Amino acid sequence: MSGWGPSPAVQVRALTRSFTAKGVLNGIDLDIAPGEFVALLGRSGSGKSTLLRALAEIDHEAEGSGEIRLPERLSVIFQDARLLPWMRVLDNVLLGVSGQRARAGEVLAEVGLAGRERAWPHELSGGEQQRVALARALVREPKLLLADEPFGALDALTRVQMHALLRRLVDAHRPAVLLVTHDIDEAMLLADRIVLLDQGRLAADLPVALPGAGVARRARMAELRATLHRLLGVEDVAEDHTEAAPPPATEVRYG
Ligand SMILES: Nc1ncnc2c1ncn2[C@@H]1O[C@H](COP(=O)(O)OP(=O)(O)O)[C@@H](O)[C@H]1O
Ligand SMILES: [Mg+2]
């Protein structure tokens, strides 16, 4: 693959993690190239968050071994925005960085929140709060972005907007990304590569390689979806819908 730098951004070797004798991760090897976007899929309880927390070094309650090499600058986002309610939006973005007010304003504009610098977190919608979390993650120009189901709590429409936003931001800033998700379509639309966690191991490692548009793109998505459904042990119902006739159009008149 082209684009590999002299060394990967993330290098994980023989990683194990367990909680009071319950093994969760059982020998994970994973490389992520600089600027590469990897989605981590797996059933609920398969250990996705455990892996992400190990990489973020916020898993002190877990036991384990293995080797993890990471870039120095990394950011983590979660399903909830985790903003401090007593701080205005701009100050939330500036948490943990110093003297970057102008830069923080720019990043807020980039996430579509220009002019909201002085708002309080409770004045924002869930989607807007998650935009602030993204701005806070990006203001430090991370070489690695770790994201644990960051859109899981958003409604479907907001989620679609956030997908487009994340893709734009990642293209502009080029961090390596590890996105934990249980949403196969989200993984396909955003990631360069999908890895699948099962029984404590990475059971699959699939390049996404979606064509830009049209029939070829839809065909590749259907193929990949079917593969992932099979690997995840879910019945694939997508096939049944593809050939279904569209619902009859109803005419709607306004005024
Ligand atoms: N702090 C913890 N203490 C004990 N068990 C935990 C802890 N965190 C996670 N687990 C267990 O580890 C397994 C994997 O959890 P998790 O990584 O959260 O899965 P996922 O994110 O894929 O849904 C689950 O069985 C869960 O109950
Ligand atoms: Mg989880």
Side-chain angles (χ1 to χ4, degrees):
M1 175 186 165
S2 66
W4 279 82
S7 60
V10 175
Q11 200 170 31
V12 176
R13 291 291 175 273
L15 187 74
T16 70
R17 285 293 182 271
S18 58
F19 300 100
T20 55
K22 181 189 186 319
V24 177
L25 304 179
N26 179 27
I28 301 286
D29 297 323
L30 175 67
D31 282 358
I32 304 177
E36 189 182 24
F37 195 134
V38 175
L40 174 64
L41 281 175
R43 265 171 266 174
S44 179
S46 59
K48 303 182 296 297
S49 295
T50 301
L51 176 54
L52 184 124
R53 290 168 59 80
L55 295 184
E57 298 179 318
I58 50 171
D59 67 331
H60 306 294
E61 72 282 16
E63 282 175 39
S65 57
E67 234 179 90
I68 301 175
R69 280 196 216 160
L70 300 170
E72 229 165 82
R73 277 204 316 278
L74 65 84
S75 296
V76 193
I77 55 176
F78 301 94
Q79 184 164 330
D80 49 332
R82 304 193 179 187
L83 306 181
L84 298 181
W86 60 87
M87 282 188 172
R88 294 180 191 273
V89 160
L90 187 72
D91 295 312
N92 265 287
V93 173
L94 283 165
L95 269 178
V97 296
S98 54
Q100 304 232 39
R101 294 191 87 76
R103 167 97 189 98
E106 283 169 25
V107 180
L108 272 174
E110 243 189 296
V111 300
L113 290 176
R116 307 300 300 275
E117 292 84 352
R118 294 189 51 76
W120 298 104
H122 77 263
E123 295 173 322
L124 305 180
S125 69
E128 288 170 333
Q129 291 186 21
Q130 207 53 320
R131 285 169 191 259
V132 177
L134 265 175
R136 184 175 60 193
L138 289 171
V139 74
R140 53 202 289 130
E141 289 291 340
K143 293 279 182 224
L144 173 65
L145 175 64
L146 298 170
D148 194 350
E149 312 218 15
F151 312 129
L154 304 177
D155 65 84
L157 276 178
T158 306
R159 202 177 312 137
V160 169
Q161 291 172 333
M162 293 298 283
H163 289 165
L165 173 65
L166 181 62
R167 198 56 256 185
R168 256 198 331 275
L169 292 171
V170 165
D171 287 342
H173 295 263
R174 303 303 311 166
V177 182
L178 183 65
L179 170 74
V180 168
T181 179
H182 57 251
D183 181 336
I184 288 177
D185 279 49
E186 177 170 291
M188 288 193 292
L189 290 172
L190 292 174
D192 304 312
R193 216 173 105 209
I194 296 175
V195 295
L196 196 135
L197 187 58
D198 189 33
Q199 314 267 0
R201 294 184 180 267
L202 291 185
D205 189 335
L206 308 164
V208 175
L210 286 189
V215 178
R217 181 180 174 87
R218 285 199 295 279
R220 173 66 184 147
M221 285 184 76
E223 174 194 38
L224 205 50
R225 201 182 283 123
T227 303
L228 288 163
H229 279 154
R230 182 168 46 74
L231 290 167
L232 286 163
V234 246
E235 215 171 312
D236 196 350
V237 292
E239 289 295 296
D240 302 338
H241 294 298
T242 45
E243 300 305 320
T250 38
E251 202 177 336
V252 183
R253 288 172 195 276
Y254 295 96

